[in-house]
Coordinates of all heavy atoms in Angstrom, one line a residue:
V27 N -39.7 15.6 32.1 CA -38.6 15.8 31.2 C -38.6 17.2 30.6 O -37.6 17.7 30.2 CB -38.7 14.8 30.0 CG1 -38.4 13.4 30.5 CG2 -40.0 14.8 29.2
S28 N -39.8 17.9 30.6 CA -39.8 19.3 30.1 C -41.1 20.0 30.5 O -42.1 19.3 30.9 CB -39.6 19.3 28.6 OG -40.8 18.8 28.0
N29 N -41.1 21.3 30.4 CA -42.3 22.1 30.5 C -42.6 22.7 29.2 O -41.7 23.2 28.5 CB -42.1 23.3 31.5 CG -42.1 22.8 33.0 OD1 -41.5 21.8 33.3 ND2 -42.9 23.5 33.8
Q30 N -43.8 22.5 28.7 CA -44.2 23.0 27.4 C -45.2 24.2 27.5 O -46.0 24.3 28.5 CB -44.9 21.9 26.6 CG -43.9 20.7 26.4 CD -42.8 21.0 25.5 OE1 -42.9 21.7 24.5 NE2 -41.6 20.5 25.8
A31 N -45.2 25.0 26.5 CA -46.0 26.2 26.5 C -47.0 26.2 25.3 O -46.7 25.6 24.3 CB -45.2 27.5 26.5
C32 N -48.1 26.9 25.5 CA -49.0 27.2 24.4 C -48.5 28.5 23.7 O -47.6 29.2 24.2 CB -50.4 27.3 24.9 SG -51.0 25.8 25.7
H33 N -49.2 28.9 22.6 CA -48.9 30.2 21.9 C -48.9 31.3 22.9 O -49.8 31.5 23.7 CB -50.0 30.4 20.8 CG -50.0 31.8 20.4 ND1 -49.0 32.4 19.6 CD2 -50.9 32.8 20.6 CE1 -49.3 33.6 19.3 NE2 -50.4 33.9 20.0
A34 N -47.9 32.1 22.8 CA -47.8 33.4 23.6 C -47.9 33.3 25.1 O -48.5 34.1 25.7 CB -48.8 34.4 23.0
C35 N -47.5 32.2 25.6 CA -47.6 31.9 27.1 C -46.2 31.8 27.7 O -45.4 31.0 27.4 CB -48.4 30.7 27.3 SG -48.6 30.4 29.1
P36 N -46.0 32.7 28.7 CA -44.7 32.7 29.4 C -44.7 31.7 30.6 O -43.6 31.4 31.2 CB -44.5 34.1 29.9 CG -45.9 34.6 30.1 CD -46.8 33.9 29.1
V37 N -45.9 31.2 30.9 CA -46.0 30.3 32.1 C -45.5 28.9 31.9 O -44.8 28.3 32.7 CB -47.4 30.3 32.6 CG1 -47.6 29.4 33.9 CG2 -47.9 31.7 32.9
A38 N -45.8 28.3 30.7 CA -45.4 27.0 30.4 C -45.8 26.0 31.4 O -45.0 25.3 32.1 CB -43.9 26.9 30.1
C39 N -47.1 25.8 31.7 CA -47.6 25.0 32.7 C -47.8 23.5 32.3 O -48.2 22.7 33.2 CB -49.0 25.5 33.3 SG -50.4 25.3 32.2
K40 N -47.6 23.2 31.0 CA -47.8 21.8 30.6 C -46.6 21.0 30.9 O -45.5 21.2 30.3 CB -48.1 21.8 29.1 CG -49.4 22.5 28.7 CD -50.6 22.0 29.5 CE -51.8 22.9 29.3 NZ -52.9 22.5 30.1
I41 N -46.7 20.0 31.7 CA -45.6 19.1 32.1 C -45.6 17.9 31.2 O -46.5 17.1 31.1 CB -45.8 18.7 33.6 CG1 -46.0 19.9 34.5 CG2 -44.7 17.8 34.1 CD1 -44.9 20.9 34.5
E42 N -44.4 17.7 30.6 CA -44.2 16.5 29.8 C -43.4 15.5 30.7 O -42.4 15.8 31.3 CB -43.4 16.8 28.5 CG -43.2 15.6 27.6 CD -42.4 16.0 26.4 OE1 -41.4 16.8 26.5 OE2 -42.8 15.5 25.3
V43 N -43.9 14.3 30.7 CA -43.3 13.2 31.5 C -42.9 12.0 30.6 O -43.5 11.9 29.5 CB -44.2 12.7 32.7 CG1 -44.6 13.9 33.5 CG2 -45.4 12.0 32.1
E44 N -42.0 11.3 31.1 CA -41.6 10.1 30.3 C -41.3 8.9 31.3 O -40.7 9.0 32.3 CB -40.3 10.3 29.6 CG -39.9 9.2 28.7 CD -38.6 9.5 27.8 OE1 -38.0 10.5 28.1 OE2 -38.4 8.7 26.9
V45 N -42.0 7.8 31.0 CA -41.7 6.5 31.6 C -40.8 5.7 30.6 O -41.3 5.4 29.5 CB -43.0 5.7 31.9 CG1 -42.7 4.4 32.6 CG2 -43.9 6.6 32.8
K46 N -39.6 5.5 30.9 CA -38.6 5.1 29.9 C -38.7 3.6 29.6 O -38.2 3.2 28.5 CB -37.2 5.4 30.4 CG -37.0 7.0 30.5 CD -35.6 7.3 30.8 CE -35.4 8.9 30.8 NZ -34.0 9.3 31.1
D47 N -39.2 2.8 30.5 CA -39.3 1.3 30.2 C -40.4 0.7 31.0 O -41.1 1.3 31.8 CB -38.0 0.7 30.4 CG -37.4 1.0 31.8 OD1 -38.2 1.1 32.8 OD2 -36.2 1.2 31.9
G48 N -40.6 -0.6 30.8 CA -41.7 -1.3 31.5 C -43.0 -1.3 30.7 O -43.1 -0.7 29.7
K49 N -44.0 -1.9 31.3 CA -45.3 -2.0 30.6 C -46.0 -0.6 30.5 O -47.0 -0.5 29.7 CB -46.2 -3.0 31.4 CG -46.5 -2.7 32.8 CD -47.3 -3.8 33.5 CE -47.5 -3.5 34.9 NZ -48.3 -4.7 35.6
Y50 N -45.6 0.4 31.3 CA -46.2 1.7 31.2 C -45.4 2.7 30.5 O -45.5 3.9 30.7 CB -46.6 2.2 32.6 CG -47.5 1.3 33.4 CD1 -47.2 0.9 34.7 CD2 -48.6 0.8 32.8 CE1 -48.0 0.1 35.5 CE2 -49.5 -0.1 33.5 CZ -49.2 -0.4 34.8 OH -50.0 -1.3 35.6
K51 N -44.5 2.2 29.7 CA -43.6 3.1 28.9 C -44.4 4.1 28.1 O -45.3 3.7 27.3 CB -42.7 2.2 28.0 CG -41.7 3.1 27.2 CD -40.8 2.2 26.3 CE -39.8 3.0 25.5 NZ -38.9 2.2 24.7
T52 N -44.1 5.4 28.2 CA -44.8 6.4 27.5 C -44.1 7.7 27.6 O -43.2 7.9 28.5 CB -46.2 6.6 28.0 OG1 -46.9 7.5 27.2 CG2 -46.2 7.1 29.4
K53 N -44.4 8.6 26.7 CA -44.0 10.0 26.8 C -45.2 10.9 26.5 O -45.7 10.8 25.4 CB -42.8 10.3 25.9 CG -42.1 11.7 26.1 CD -40.9 11.8 25.2 CE -40.2 13.1 25.6 NZ -38.9 13.3 24.7
V54 N -45.6 11.6 27.5 CA -46.9 12.3 27.3 C -46.9 13.7 28.0 O -46.3 13.9 29.0 CB -48.1 11.4 27.9 CG1 -47.9 11.2 29.4 CG2 -49.4 12.0 27.6
E55 N -47.6 14.6 27.4 CA -47.8 16.0 27.9 C -49.0 16.0 28.8 O -49.9 15.1 28.7 CB -47.8 17.0 26.8 CG -46.5 17.5 26.4 CD -46.6 18.8 25.5 OE1 -47.5 19.6 25.8 OE2 -45.9 18.8 24.5
S56 N -49.2 17.1 29.4 CA -50.5 17.5 30.1 C -50.8 16.5 31.2 O -51.9 15.9 31.3 CB -51.6 17.5 29.0 OG -51.4 18.5 28.1
I57 N -49.9 16.4 32.2 CA -50.2 15.6 33.4 C -50.9 16.7 34.3 O -50.3 17.3 35.2 CB -49.0 15.1 34.1 CG1 -48.2 14.2 33.1 CG2 -49.3 14.3 35.3 CD1 -49.0 12.9 32.6
E58 N -52.2 16.8 34.1 CA -53.0 17.8 34.8 C -53.4 17.3 36.2 O -53.5 16.1 36.4 CB -54.2 18.2 34.0 CG -54.0 18.7 32.6 CD -53.3 20.0 32.5 OE1 -53.1 20.7 33.6 OE2 -52.8 20.4 31.4
F59 N -53.7 18.2 37.1 CA -54.2 17.9 38.4 C -55.4 17.0 38.3 O -55.5 15.9 39.0 CB -54.5 19.2 39.2 CG -55.3 19.0 40.5 CD1 -54.9 18.0 41.4 CD2 -56.4 19.8 40.8 CE1 -55.6 17.9 42.6 CE2 -57.0 19.7 41.9 CZ -56.7 18.7 42.9
E60 N -56.4 17.4 37.5 CA -57.6 16.6 37.4 C -57.4 15.2 36.9 O -58.0 14.2 37.3 CB -58.7 17.3 36.6 CG -59.4 18.5 37.3 CD -58.5 19.7 37.3 OE1 -57.5 19.8 36.6 OE2 -58.8 20.6 38.2
S61 N -56.5 15.1 35.9 CA -56.2 13.8 35.2 C -55.5 12.9 36.2 O -55.8 11.7 36.3 CB -55.4 14.0 34.0 OG -56.1 14.8 33.0
A62 N -54.5 13.4 36.9 CA -53.7 12.6 37.9 C -54.7 12.2 39.0 O -54.6 11.0 39.5 CB -52.6 13.4 38.5
W63 N -55.5 13.1 39.5 CA -56.5 12.7 40.6 C -57.5 11.7 40.1 O -57.8 10.8 40.9 CB -57.2 14.0 41.0 CG -58.5 13.7 41.7 CD1 -58.6 13.3 43.0 CD2 -59.8 13.7 41.1 NE1 -60.0 13.0 43.3 CE2 -60.7 13.2 42.1 CE3 -60.3 14.0 39.8 CZ2 -62.1 13.1 41.9 CZ3 -61.6 13.9 39.6 CH2 -62.5 13.4 40.6
T64 N -58.1 11.8 39.0 CA -59.2 11.0 38.6 C -58.8 9.5 38.6 O -59.6 8.6 38.9 CB -59.8 11.4 37.3 OG1 -61.1 10.8 37.1 CG2 -59.0 11.0 36.1
F65 N -57.6 9.2 38.2 CA -57.1 7.8 38.2 C -56.3 7.5 39.5 O -56.1 6.4 39.9 CB -56.1 7.6 37.0 CG -56.8 7.8 35.7 CD1 -56.2 8.6 34.7 CD2 -58.0 7.2 35.3 CE1 -56.8 8.9 33.5 CE2 -58.6 7.4 34.1 CZ -58.0 8.2 33.2
G66 N -56.0 8.6 40.2 CA -55.2 8.5 41.4 C -56.1 8.3 42.6 O -56.7 7.2 42.9
A67 N -56.3 9.3 43.4 CA -57.0 9.3 44.7 C -58.5 8.8 44.4 O -59.0 8.0 45.2 CB -57.1 10.6 45.4
N68 N -59.0 9.2 43.3 CA -60.4 8.8 43.0 C -60.6 7.3 42.9 O -61.6 6.7 43.2 CB -60.9 9.5 41.7 CG -62.3 9.2 41.4 OD1 -63.2 9.3 42.2 ND2 -62.5 8.9 40.1
C69 N -59.5 6.6 42.4 CA -59.6 5.2 42.2 C -58.6 4.4 43.1 O -58.3 3.2 42.9 CB -59.2 4.9 40.7 SG -60.5 5.4 39.5
L70 N -57.9 5.2 44.0 CA -57.0 4.6 44.9 C -55.8 4.0 44.2 O -55.3 2.9 44.5 CB -57.6 3.6 45.9 CG -58.7 4.1 46.8 CD1 -59.1 3.0 47.8 CD2 -58.3 5.3 47.5
L71 N -55.3 4.7 43.2 CA -54.1 4.2 42.4 C -53.0 5.2 42.7 O -53.1 6.4 42.4 CB -54.4 4.2 40.9 CG -53.2 3.9 40.0 CD1 -52.7 2.5 40.3 CD2 -53.7 4.0 38.5
S72 N -51.9 4.7 43.3 CA -50.8 5.6 43.7 C -49.6 5.5 42.7 O -48.6 6.2 43.0 CB -50.4 5.4 45.1 OG -49.9 4.0 45.3

């Protein structure tokens, strides 16, 4: 839904995502590579 930045940062690498309904409904920042991987490929969750 958006890219967020930290103080004085032009890169804005923080990805904010939203799951709008269902049992996984959420709105959360910081979908990092390591976080997506650790629950994803590491645990075979796609």
Side-chain angles (χ1 to χ4, degrees):
V27 292
S28 69
N29 284 44
Q30 299 294 319
C32 302
H33 162 74
C35 181
V37 180
C39 73
K40 299 305 176 187
I41 305 299
E42 183 180 40
V43 304
E44 184 175 14
V45 180
K46 295 186 177 181
D47 49 39
K49 59 184 176 181
Y50 302 133
K51 182 179 180 180
T52 186
K53 191 173 185 179
V54 61
E55 274 191 41
S56 301
I57 304 296
E58 305 291 349
F59 169 47
E60 284 77 18
S61 299
W63 157 81
T64 196
F65 301 127
N68 183 46
C69 294
L70 300 188
L71 175 63
S72 59

